[in-house]
Amino acid sequence: MGGPGDPPEGTPEGGPGGAEDEYRSVVFDESFVRAARLQESSARERVSDHAPAVRRRPPLRRGLPRQALVLLLLVAVAFGTAVFLGFRHPYGSTPPRRSAEPLRITVVPLAPRGEVPGAPDARSLYARSPAARFAVGLAGIPLPPSQPTAHFSDSQVLAALDTARKYLLHSALDPDVLTGRQVRPVRALIDAGQLDQFDRSMAAPAADGRHAPTGWMVRFDPARTALADDDIRARGALRVSETDAATLQVVADSTFVYALRAPGTAARTPVSLFTVRRELTFRFDRDTLRVGQTRLTSSSTQAGPLSCDGDTSAYLRPLLAGERAKPGGPPGTDPYGTGAAALCGTLADSAQPHV
């Protein structure tokens, strides 16, 4: 390597060398001139442009510009962050979301032993029935005290209970849903993974244990049934538990009592009571809790007075005051078929109002 007086690219090829060369300090090659920081202005520049005799040359740019270095640094940081997040999620490990299991539906009609009792108005009929001790509407299904579970906070448990209670409200107490005018309030609470099953149930009802609208909601055939009183009596309880670290379960066991009469009839037409016992199982994960929806996994319904030979998949067709169930049991069941077995029970006399 050259000394302090050497040109930037070393001693010129073929030139004299050695410390004894007395002209070494005044020999300049082209690379030395290009590297000089000061440059003398030409005579023409000094005369015409009034330029100073000597001007400072801009420094030679060696390597990448500063902006390029900053850009490369930012790209490297972004790439490293992406790789880091790919191996370690910043919010902890989240289990993959499972596909929603289909709803399992059971509807059991309860046939009366004799004639369905009736009365001129709903209030007197309620007062002479077991529903006299029931509250009106959702007041009969209070929220239990919410407590945190092993993997869910108190607020998440409360959100699950509140959504289940809203589902009971819209599926069993909403007059528009009960009379078949609306299904949207119920559908809005269903998890997206079950909407295909719900929509198929509404479009093509079937008594196959999967696609009965009466498993999703209580609704009456509007051609033969009307509400005589919007103050529906209810009693029920909600139970919450964890099925695993990612799932909350709420079981709703509720009984609803409706005052009914034939549609389009005068107020003097006798009113009868219709009782529905429902046990619904709701499942929640953190996604459904966040959006206020649920997966309904099982629906078991017992309802009467009904005839055992009627189709209860699309609508419930209650027997009204003065009517009797047709003799005989439920329609025959094919043990080789894939549909749900036909079930029927007897409505106890004690469940009817005393008139």
Side-chain angles (χ1 to χ4, degrees):
M1 183 174 180
D6 291 339
E9 296 181 2
T11 304
E13 184 178 357
E20 70 277 11
D21 189 350
E22 59 180 338
Y23 298 106
R24 180 185 180 114
S25 60
V26 294
V27 175
F28 308 117
D29 66 351
E30 184 180 355
S31 65
F32 188 93
V33 173
R34 287 199 308 267
R37 299 297 302 276
L38 298 178
Q39 181 180 15
E40 184 180 5
S41 300
S42 65
R44 177 175 296 176
E45 290 174 335
R46 291 197 298 270
V47 172
S48 61
D49 298 337
H50 303 286
V54 177
R55 64 173 178 268
R56 184 177 295 274
R57 299 180 63 182
L60 293 177
R61 296 186 178 273
R62 297 177 180 177
L64 292 174
R66 180 178 300 177
Q67 293 86 345
L69 289 175
V70 172
L71 179 61
L72 287 176
L73 180 61
L74 290 176
V75 171
V77 171
F79 180 77
T81 303
V83 172
F84 176 78
L85 293 180
F87 286 102
R88 182 179 179 181
H89 195 279
Y91 299 105
S93 59
T94 301
R97 188 173 184 182
R98 294 164 293 185
S99 58
E101 58 183 296
L103 170 63
R104 304 183 305 276
I105 298 171
T106 304
V107 180
V108 180
L110 301 177
R113 297 177 186 273
E115 186 177 288
V116 176
D121 63 276
R123 291 185 180 275
S124 62
L125 204 56
Y126 278 132
R128 296 196 293 269
S129 75
R133 301 186 299 271
F134 288 14
V136 175
L138 208 58
I141 311 172
L143 277 173
S146 61
Q147 296 180 347
T149 63
H151 300 92
F152 290 88
S153 67
D154 178 80
S155 61
Q156 289 174 319
V157 171
L158 182 60
L161 290 169
D162 184 64
T163 300
R165 200 162 175 259
K166 285 180 181 176
Y167 191 95
L168 296 178
L169 170 66
H170 292 299
S171 67
L173 296 170
D174 187 335
D176 287 337
V177 172
L178 294 172
T179 53
R181 295 192 296 265
Q182 279 281 1
V183 299
R184 185 178 301 174
V186 177
R187 190 181 188 275
L189 295 171
I190 299 295
D191 176 57
Q194 287 189 316
L195 288 181
D196 286 344
Q197 183 186 7
F198 181 91
D199 292 341
R200 181 179 169 186
S201 299
M202 300 302 118
D208 58 359
R210 289 290 187 272
H211 301 96
T214 49
W216 297 95
M217 66 195 77
V218 177
R219 68 174 188 167
F220 305 113
D221 185 352
R224 55 171 286 117
T225 309
L227 289 173
D229 188 357
D230 288 344
D231 290 340
I232 300 160
R233 303 302 197 266
R235 173 181 283 181
L238 303 173
R239 304 188 307 273
V240 63
S241 61
E242 265 192 27
T243 59
D244 55 50
T247 309
L248 270 179
Q249 176 174 284
V250 176
V251 176
D253 188 354
S254 310
T255 301
F256 304 91
V257 185
Y258 306 88
L260 307 175
R261 60 161 45 105
T265 57
R268 294 188 300 273
T269 304
V271 175
S272 60
L273 296 185
F274 185 74
T275 304
V276 177
R277 169 84 177 271
R278 303 174 82 200
E279 184 172 303
L280 305 178
T281 301
F282 304 93
R283 296 276 175 85
F284 301 87
D285 57 27
R286 287 170 176 81
D287 290 332
T288 53
L289 285 173
R290 187 178 62 254
V291 297
Q293 294 179 334
T294 185
R295 301 192 308 270
L296 190 59
T297 59
S298 69
S299 170
S300 177
T301 302
Q302 301 173 11
L306 287 169
S307 285
C308 289
D309 60 346
D311 181 8
T312 58
S313 59
Y315 293 102
L316 297 175
R317 297 177 173 87
L319 297 171
L320 301 177
E323 295 182 334
R324 291 177 176 268
K326 294 181 180 179
T333 299
D334 180 7
Y336 295 96
T338 58
L343 301 173
C344 189
T346 301
L347 183 64
D349 294 336
S350 59
Q352 298 273 46
H354 303 289
V355 297

